[in-house]
Amino acid sequence: MTTEHTSGTSDPARSLALLWRGGERAGRRGKHDLSVDRVVRAAIELADTEGVAALSMRKVAERLGVGTMSLYTYVPGKSELVDVMVDTVHGELGRHHEAPGGWRARLELIARDNWALCHRHPWLLQVLTSRPPLGPNISLDYEYQLRAIDGIGLSDLEMDSVTTLVTGYVHGAARGSVDAARDQRDSGLTDEQWWDTQAPFLRKVMEPGRFPVSSRVGAAAGEAYNAASDPDQAFEFGLARVLDGLQVFIDRKADAAPER
Amino acid sequence: MTTEHTSGTSDPARSLALLWRGGERAGRRGKHDLSVDRVVRAAIELADTEGVAALSMRKVAERLGVGTMSLYTYVPGKSELVDVMVDTVHGELGRHHEAPGGWRARLELIARDNWALCHRHPWLLQVLTSRPPLGPNISLDYEYQLRAIDGIGLSDLEMDSVTTLVTGYVHGAARGSVDAARDQRDSGLTDEQWWDTQAPFLRKVMEPGRFPVSSRVGAAAGEAYNAASDPDQAFEFGLARVLDGLQVFIDRKADAAPER
DNA sequence: GACTTTTCCGTACACTGTACCGTATGGTAT
DNA sequence: ATACCATACGGTACAGTGTACGGAAAAGTC
């Protein structure tokens, strides 16, 4: 990680052409064992199984039986490779704009799909930033998310706010869940075991009277989840609250302007 | 980043003693230019100004005018240093359990405080995982967050779910905001400028009919925010929705079990 | 067969965290 | 005052990172 700054080139034309696969020219000269798709697939497999920390150009090349620098023929650098990985896995998402049940059911489906995607590719959330790679799959997903709430009385700006809230919420909850799974794997300790190693020391260092409510609540949570928390339960609880909040918002708009 | 696994030692007793400053023994022999606090303060300053990517043991040592390995006298490793950093900055949070205005006003205050904290220390969110360092400040914050909603008719488990939701939401929204600021700084381009570099290419590569809703909504958002999105506006919108959702939940409970 | 284009890749550089071990320092016991 | 030694400090080394550079080799075209 010497240079963090997205590679020295940062050529938006090249990046977008890569994402939309615009540069596949035919009749190439030299030999061609590799392709963008093979590189990307290998990188995704590697990240899925070994984690984003193990995702290095050397390891990807090794997995393909190829020299490290050969990758740079197909991909300008690591950050662009990651961009393509992100867009690629977004192709796995369902497209629910026509699903029955109204906006609430559709948003819920979208949320659950994204939740599942984040768990299938735990590196996704470690790699997302505020400017998404505008590849074909991400663009389509955005379109479908908006269609799920189109025509229900929201302004364009409000529609954007709603999708931002839902994806934002899912990402946050999924981050908690995925981090918990990773912590458990890396440490070799379940949450319960981890707590058991901390507890005796905490008891020694915390004055008993200072944390009455958290002791009570922590004990209840520990008993219910066999852990400090249960990510799936947290996701369900929060999703219901967010959708309830949106319902309030949408109903209020409908009351204010009945029958258009 | 050769080894990601939280240093070879991973001794919970040592870590907790460090967090609660239990190991400050008096009458030390050799010279002592350094202290845990000085190391932590230097590291926090460094991370605040240069970003978490620049946070290396060598740089911290340099800032203190000291050899790199000297830090290891006071701190078992980088991951433990980061733990102390995280707990330390949580000491800046206000404690609003007694604030007036009912649970909603208190939760809102807590949310805004955490939002501000995340912006004061943008590295925080890049460093948090599911098992928080259980230092004095984080423990106190958890206690005060729970007290803000104690005695309003929720079960212990529900109280835990509520605080998890609120902190989770704030972290998610803040991550978006902080990432946007960092992207802007690192790339030297405002969101608007960045969009202007992408737009001409996107127009070339996207078939016009395939993205009708996102074109419309994207245009509206671009006009309103001079960017693809406005993190502050997104935070406000989402916070109101989450609190509305909680209100529905809490009111429903009160209706079901009126009086007590 | 000659030429040209493209692919493939070995080497090198500036970074990282930290294990290992030697040296310097200053408090304590004599 | 002297000797002792626990402790603090830090130099070197190792395995790893992304990628710039430039050379070698392969294949399409004439």
Side-chain angles (χ1 to χ4, degrees):
Chain A
M1 310 286 179
T2 111
T3 53
E4 197 80 3
H5 43 61
T6 60
S7 92
T9 45
S10 147
D11 174 359
R14 173 94 199 266
S15 292
L16 282 175
L18 186 68
L19 284 165
W20 294 80
R21 298 294 198 285
E24 320 268 34
R25 48 224 166 294
R28 296 127 78 216
R29 298 288 171 94
K31 63 174 169 178
H32 41 282
D33 301 351
L34 253 42
S35 70
V36 175
D37 276 319
R38 291 231 303 137
V39 172
V40 173
R41 268 201 302 272
I44 291 177
E45 279 171 28
L46 183 62
D48 283 348
T49 58
E50 313 246 355
V52 75
L55 178 70
S56 73
M57 300 303 267
R58 283 170 176 78
K59 291 252 186 69
V60 174
E62 198 177 328
R63 187 171 273 252
L64 289 164
V66 127
T68 308
M69 292 314 290
S70 306
L71 305 179
Y72 287 85
T73 305
Y74 296 89
V75 153
K78 194 192 186 186
S79 93
E80 288 85 353
L81 171 57
V82 170
D83 281 352
V84 184
M85 291 168 65
V86 169
D87 188 70
T88 300
V89 297
H90 274 82
E92 302 172 12
L93 242 29
R95 306 277 147 76
H96 305 301
H97 54 119
E98 300 257 302
W103 64 265
R104 181 160 181 150
R106 287 195 293 270
L107 277 188
E108 194 174 326
L109 221 57
I110 288 172
R112 290 187 193 285
D113 260 17
N114 273 281
W115 170 262
L117 182 71
C118 292
H119 283 83
R120 241 178 353 253
H121 305 291
W123 47 271
L124 234 191
L125 293 163
Q126 297 180 268
V127 135
L128 283 178
T129 56
S130 72
R131 292 175 186 169
L134 296 172
N137 293 312
I138 287 189
S139 302
L140 264 181
D141 282 337
Y142 182 54
E143 172 74 15
Y144 282 117
Q145 275 181 42
L146 288 173
R147 285 197 202 171
I149 51 170
D150 197 18
I152 62 170
L154 297 174
S155 75
D156 289 346
L157 242 53
E158 288 165 346
M159 285 173 64
D160 187 61
S161 294
V162 169
T163 57
T164 301
L165 172 59
V166 172
T167 14
Y169 168 70
V170 172
H171 285 175
R175 201 174 316 251
S177 174
V178 164
D179 281 357
R182 187 179 17 250
D183 283 356
Q184 193 146 320
R185 198 173 50 82
D186 290 355
S187 69
L189 265 54
T190 65
D191 269 13
E192 194 177 9
Q193 291 168 332
W194 177 76
W195 252 106
D196 290 348
T197 66
Q198 307 274 330
F201 256 96
L202 276 181
R203 262 193 292 277
K204 220 167 288 174
V205 90
M206 289 167 96
E207 301 114 273
R210 268 181 97 193
F211 305 91
V213 187
S214 34
S215 307
R216 197 188 74 217
V217 172
E223 202 157 316
Y225 308 138
N226 282 333
S229 64
D230 177 351
D232 291 282
Q233 187 277 337
F235 172 66
E236 296 296 337
F237 179 85
L239 181 58
R241 265 6 97 212
V242 168
L243 292 176
D244 279 352
L246 286 173
Q247 184 125 43
V248 170
F249 180 70
I250 290 169
D251 289 352
R252 198 153 49 205
K253 285 207 54 129
D255 288 349
E259 230 28 55
R260 162 228 269 301
Chain B
M1 308 289 179
T2 108
T3 52
E4 197 79 4
H5 43 61
T6 58
S7 92
T9 43
S10 147
D11 173 0
R14 174 94 198 265
S15 292
L16 282 175
L18 186 66
L19 283 165
W20 294 79
R21 298 291 198 285
E24 321 267 33
R25 48 225 169 295
R28 295 128 78 220
R29 298 289 174 92
K31 62 175 170 178
H32 39 284
D33 302 350
L34 253 41
S35 70
V36 175
D37 276 319
R38 293 232 302 138
V39 172
V40 173
R41 268 201 302 273
I44 291 176
E45 279 171 29
L46 183 62
D48 283 348
T49 57
E50 313 246 357
V52 74
L55 179 70
S56 73
M57 299 304 266
R58 281 170 176 79
K59 291 251 184 69
V60 174
E62 199 176 329
R63 186 171 272 253
L64 289 165
V66 125
T68 308
M69 293 313 292
S70 305
L71 304 180
Y72 286 86
T73 304
Y74 296 90
V75 153
K78 194 192 187 187
S79 93
E80 287 85 355
L81 171 57
V82 169
D83 281 352
V84 184
M85 293 168 65
V86 169
D87 188 70
T88 301
V89 298
H90 274 82
E92 301 172 13
L93 243 28
R95 305 277 148 78
H96 305 302
H97 54 119
E98 301 256 302
W103 65 265
R104 182 160 180 148
R106 287 195 293 269
L107 277 188
E108 195 174 326
L109 221 57
I110 288 172
R112 291 187 193 286
D113 260 18
N114 274 280
W115 170 261
L117 181 71
C118 291
H119 283 84
R120 242 179 350 255
H121 306 290
W123 47 270
L124 235 191
L125 293 164
Q126 298 179 268
V127 135
L128 282 178
T129 55
S130 73
R131 292 176 186 168
L134 296 172
N137 293 311
I138 287 190
S139 302
L140 264 182
D141 281 338
Y142 182 54
E143 172 75 15
Y144 282 119
Q145 273 181 42
L146 288 174
R147 284 197 203 172
I149 51 170
D150 197 17
I152 62 169
L154 297 173
S155 74
D156 290 345
L157 243 52
E158 288 165 345
M159 287 174 62
D160 187 61
S161 294
V162 169
T163 58
T164 301
L165 172 59
V166 172
T167 16
Y169 169 69
V170 173
H171 284 175
R175 199 173 318 249
S177 174
V178 165
D179 282 358
R182 185 176 23 245
D183 283 356
Q184 194 145 318
R185 198 174 50 82
D186 290 355
S187 69
L189 265 54
T190 66
D191 268 14
E192 195 177 10
Q193 290 167 333
W194 177 77
W195 253 107
D196 289 350
T197 67
Q198 306 274 326
F201 256 95
L202 276 180
R203 263 193 292 277
K204 220 167 287 175
V205 90
M206 290 167 96
E207 300 115 90
R210 268 181 98 191
F211 304 92
V213 186
S214 34
S215 308
R216 196 187 78 217
V217 171
E223 202 157 316
Y225 307 137
N226 281 335
S229 63
D230 177 351
D232 291 284
Q233 187 277 336
F235 173 66
E236 295 298 336
F237 179 85
L239 181 58
R241 264 5 96 213
V242 168
L243 292 175
D244 279 352
L246 285 174
Q247 184 124 45
V248 170
F249 181 71
I250 290 168
D251 288 352
R252 197 153 50 205
K253 285 206 55 125
D255 288 350
E259 227 35 47
R260 164 238 257 288

